Amino acid sequence: MMDAISISKARLRFGQTIALDDVSLAIPQGTCFGIVGESGSGKTTLMRAILGLQKLDQGDVCILGMPLSHSRAALKKRARVLQPIFQDPAASLSPRSRIRTLMGEVATVLNEPLAVTYERLGVILNRLGLPKGILDKYPHEISGGQARRVAIARALLMKPSILIADEPTAGLDVSVQGDLLNLLQDIRQLENMTLVVISHNLAVVRLIAENAVVMRAGKAVESGDVASMFQSPRDAYTRELLSAWPRLRVE
Amino acid sequence: MGSFATLKRICSERDGRLGLVFTLVILIFAIVGPLVSPDPNLIDVKARFAPPGAAHLLGTDNLGRDLVARTSAGTRYALALAAMIVVISSVVGSLIGVVAAVAGPRIDRVITGVFDIVNAFPPLILAFALIALYGKGPITFVLLVTVVFIPQFGRMARARAQSLRSLSFIEAERMLAVHPATIVARHYLPNVAGPIIVLASMNLPVVIAFEASLSFLGFGVQPPKSSLGTLIKDGFVSINQSWWPIIAASLVLAIATLGATLLGEALRRVIDPKTTGAR
Amino acid sequence: MAISVRNLSVDYNLSHVTAHALRDISLEIGKGEILGLVGESGSGKSTVAFALMGLLANNAKVTSGTATIGGRSYDLTRRDATAPLRGRGMAMIFQDPMLSLNPVFTVGTQLCEVLRRRLPGGDRKAHVAMAEEALAKVKLSDPKRRMGQYPHELSGGMRQRVVIAMALLSEPVLLIADEPTTALDVTVEAQIMREIVSLRDRIGCAVLLITHSLGLVTEYCDRISVLYAGERLEHGTVKQVQQQPGHPYTRMLFDCEVAIDRQRAVNVTENRFTVIPGELPDPFRRPSGCIFNGRCDVSFDACATTVPDEFAVGDAADHGARCLLLAGS
Ligand SMILES: Nc1ncnc2c1ncn2[C@@H]1O[C@H](COP(=O)(O)OP(=O)(O)O)[C@@H](O)[C@H]1O
Ligand SMILES: Nc1ncnc2c1ncn2[C@@H]1O[C@H](COP(=O)(O)OP(=O)(O)O)[C@@H](O)[C@H]1O
Ligand SMILES: [Mg+2]
Ligand SMILES: [Mg+2]
């Protein structure tokens, strides 16, 4: 089966900083892939390159075997396959539009009757535990947690087969973090979705991802199967990350 | 923020209240004038240069025309022209500015180049030149002055749009493959509107004064129509016979520009509190 | 006890209503001990720190509370009650190190300022030497050069080290660290926590570590206090609380924490995560009964009406929780 996303020899620098340094990855379809690493290691830049929001200096990105193109036709095609969930979900909702308007845009893009889109939306809102009334609100009238769900709902409404989430649990209390993670797990199971999760939370990535890459200073220092990576890390930096992680052990 | 809340915030400070009162006075004067006074063009040679009195509250001019009626009509005309110019130039300017920011570097360079050329001339001189070239009709006048004011709005809209471009909500729209025209209309323009409204309200007094200057110099409003500028000019010509005409027109111009300026400043402090200080 | 806080209550006045941010909080920290104060965001952790430091916002009012620090007692309801202790008896590390650093002065100037306040009339050269030594102690590379640098020239982790060096030089009786590592990466977090522990070892001060991470508490703290919606629900040694949580909230909080060595199903979609359902209670009107009532998984009728006292958990005298289930035992 062809890979959902493959990146070969991606290089990118911003002035003096090397944001991506010869990164190559393959993300198989239907799996969850974790991107971990400290802040500034290039995780978000890698996501933006995959989305086509950031042009690479060198290297290629392929989505389902198709090389990334910046033409409008290609963008339209890609939007039905690949959807992002940005790090600050409240900021990813247009501030002067009602949620209903934002959801309605999906119908236009998919060329689908509005009624059909709203019917699918009803199912999605239900599953995400969002009340219907939220559609009449503006983004600043809902809570941060709800905004996160609205952003996910909108992405799901596009019926993508690949979802990329940047730090989906950052800033959440543990009591609500689990809720979001369970949701992502459900989405994967029900839709056979490919999920790419960027996170600095190693413990979480270990439990939800089949494969992962560890980034440092723009380099992919170690990548592969999560189980073996966490059990016997090959790279010194991976070992350092793992040993620094606070443990909850009972003596 | 709702418009009622904005109004409340404006009224909460002295300058805002003052600006609002002045502006209302001018508006009421412009609207109510024709109701209390006779026809502004009614000539009464016997009452030439009458001082203020029961018959003529502000006196009369060199042809015995009532000054309340004339300044009121002039104010109405001047305000209508200024409002039209500001509205058209802010709408067109925002649109061009956002397009410059969004449509790629080549179009951006062309648009900013044109803005630079327009801005290279002092506005009054440029208006003279354009009017000399294209004639003095009221519609040409509005269009030409609009052109002079478009770059200001365009630049501000472009700068705002550029800072919006890298925000996640614009990127999220792009990732959804929403049509670029929809993105501009629905997501850029409403978020550019705040500072543009402020700039427009601050430009209103500038345009009022600008129109008055042009009319005073004979390049603006043409007789028999009168605006504040032409009234000041007429008063200036006959200042040796009576100083009432020039005082009446100048006073109205002063209150109108002062009121609009104070109101514009207050609006800016409410809508756009970050950009305080000189622009 | 080196430090104790009794019955601290803090209100925030909003235009029409009053939010009760803290209700009757008590804390005890022994000399040389690290107390972990945990709770979700909004539970009032920072308010405790600010009330102790006298740094509360203008709309805050301390309605009750006394603190005993270094043998002297302070009435916290008086603004500036602890002002004499700031920079001498008490030091604070914020999540954002720039809150403690002045951007226009060099690191050296700021460190020497701390010494000038603690040892007035001291020799400037000696101060510079002590400051350099402190930077070396917190393992900042090349201390001589750092002395001449400005805060903006340093990374987040390095800035936090400078703040720790400042705390070290002020030799406090109580060090308050409010989420000191939340903005930092795990590897840097571990290093900074080690510096805080070694600072405690050096000067034997009491440390109040405020955090939402139970991982940090179990790894570095001696004692733990659990805060929920402005009330302390449980306190005890880390070991006691972890082995036998007295309050259902504490148990649920530990269950939610994702441990790095948790059992992992080979089919990862089968890994589920624990959640505490429900939402925080209204801060403006405290519901009657137990504050955790609506979200508790073992609540019974009396929980809705009776505000639980604090009961001992097990036979340990220094382990208590406010849960009616403990009343009978
Ligand atoms: N638009 C940009 N301009 C300049 N530097 C950038 C830009 N975006 C990211 N960087 C730099 O690239 C590096 C990687 O950043 P990023 O991908 O955001 O890291 P992460 O998401 O892992 O924290 C950082 O050093 C960052 O400062
Ligand atoms: N200046 C303030 N005015 C009003 N409410 C405040 C203020 N500061 C904090 N609060 C409220 O008090 C509660 C406790 O806040 P805080 O002590 O910052 O919690 P934590 O540090 O545990 O996240 C929160 O509900 C917060 O919204
Ligand atoms: Mg990032
Ligand atoms: Mg806090």
Side-chain angles (χ1 to χ4, degrees), chain A residues 84-157:
Chain A
I85 295 162
F86 290 107
Q87 177 158 11
D88 182 355
S92 67
L93 301 175
S94 185
R96 314 253 166 176
S97 305
R98 284 183 207 278
I99 313 285
R100 184 186 301 282
T101 316
L102 295 177
M103 297 294 180
E105 284 181 340
V106 173
T108 318
V109 170
L110 292 182
N111 220 344
E112 188 180 61
L114 205 57
V116 177
T117 308
Y118 280 145
E119 203 179 307
R120 290 196 297 116
L121 179 61
V123 176
I124 292 173
L125 290 182
N126 214 349
R127 194 193 302 157
L128 301 201
L130 287 169
K132 275 258 169 56
I134 207 163
L135 291 177
D136 292 313
K137 300 223 161 108
Y138 285 96
H140 65 88
E141 294 171 332
I142 64 180
S143 74
Q146 286 179 322
R148 216 177 273 257
R149 276 152 198 279
V150 167
I152 295 175
R154 194 169 180 228
L156 290 179
L157 204 53

Side-chain angles (χ1 to χ4, degrees), chain A residues 184-244:
Chain A
L184 290 180
Q185 294 282 58
D186 289 345
I187 292 169
R188 257 198 76 192
Q189 256 172 346
L190 292 174
E191 325 256 341
N192 190 31
M193 183 92 65
T194 308
L195 197 62
V196 182
V197 173
I198 296 175
S199 179
H200 62 261
N201 194 327
L202 297 172
V204 164
V205 167
R206 176 176 163 271
L207 290 176
I208 62 172
E210 277 100 358
N211 304 295
V213 60
V214 180
M215 304 264 308
R216 184 186 203 187
K219 271 202 176 65
V221 294
E222 178 161 2
S223 70
D225 167 49
V226 165
S228 53
M229 198 157 102
F230 278 68
Q231 234 155 48
S232 46
R234 276 174 285 120
D235 186 81
Y237 178 65
T238 317
R239 277 197 292 275
E240 192 188 334
L241 274 183
L242 281 172
S243 67

Side-chain angles (χ1 to χ4, degrees), chain B residues 63-268:
Chain B
L63 296 174
R65 293 175 294 194
D66 180 63
L67 278 177
V68 170
R70 284 191 66 72
T71 39
S72 166
T75 308
R76 208 166 344 136
Y77 197 58
L79 289 184
L81 285 183
M84 232 183 317
I85 289 167
V86 167
V87 168
I88 299 175
S89 57
S90 59
V91 169
V92 175
S94 326
L95 211 60
I96 297 179
V98 170
V99 167
V102 176
R106 211 173 305 154
I107 295 177
D108 187 28
R109 264 200 299 278
V110 172
I111 291 177
T112 42
V114 173
F115 285 173
D116 283 340
I117 293 171
V118 174
N119 269 9
F121 300 95
L124 219 51
I125 307 280
L126 181 63
F128 287 163
L130 289 175
I131 289 165
L133 275 176
Y134 295 105
K136 295 180 177 175
I139 293 172
T140 1
F141 176 79
V142 167
L143 290 182
L144 295 178
V145 179
T146 300
V147 168
V148 174
F149 279 86
I150 281 177
Q152 276 191 44
F153 292 102
R155 271 173 209 288
M156 172 163 278
R158 175 172 170 271
R160 280 284 295 184
Q162 269 177 340
S163 63
L164 290 175
R165 202 172 50 178
S166 59
L167 296 187
S168 339
F169 76 87
I170 293 286
E171 294 196 329
E173 298 297 322
R174 278 168 63 196
M175 286 300 99
L176 221 60
V178 173
H179 196 277
T182 312
I183 299 185
V184 166
R186 192 178 280 159
H187 304 293
Y188 276 103
L189 287 179
N191 290 295
V192 162
I196 290 288
I197 290 172
V198 170
L199 185 62
S201 70
M202 307 220 353
N203 260 334
L204 196 63
V206 177
V207 176
I208 293 174
F210 191 76
E211 181 274 325
S213 330
L214 282 177
S215 300
F216 181 81
L217 295 170
F219 286 89
V221 174
Q222 302 299 320
K225 279 278 181 206
S226 63
S227 80
L228 291 173
T230 55
L231 289 173
I232 294 175
K233 185 175 78 176
D234 294 346
F236 186 66
V237 169
S238 53
I239 198 163
N240 286 329
Q241 281 90 2
S242 164
W243 42 270
W244 281 108
I246 195 169
I247 289 288
S250 306
L251 196 66
V252 172
L253 179 65
I255 295 177
T257 49
L258 186 63
T261 307
L262 289 176
L263 196 61
E265 289 278 354
L267 197 63
R268 186 187 66 186

Side-chain angles (χ1 to χ4, degrees), chain C residues 36-101:
Chain C
L37 182 61
V38 297
E40 296 168 70
S41 57
S43 56
K45 305 183 296 295
S46 297
T47 305
V48 172
F50 291 151
L52 280 172
M53 293 293 289
L55 295 175
L56 283 171
N58 285 330
N59 64 335
K61 181 158 174 32
V62 180
T63 52
S64 72
T66 51
T68 313
I69 298 168
R72 301 209 11 214
S73 176
Y74 301 86
D75 177 7
L76 294 175
T77 57
R78 280 184 28 240
R79 211 161 261 270
D80 291 337
T82 56
L85 288 173
R86 241 179 276 155
R88 320 181 80 163
M90 274 195 301
M92 181 149 175
I93 305 174
F94 298 92
Q95 176 179 338
D96 178 4
M98 288 312 285
L99 287 177
S100 318
L101 297 174

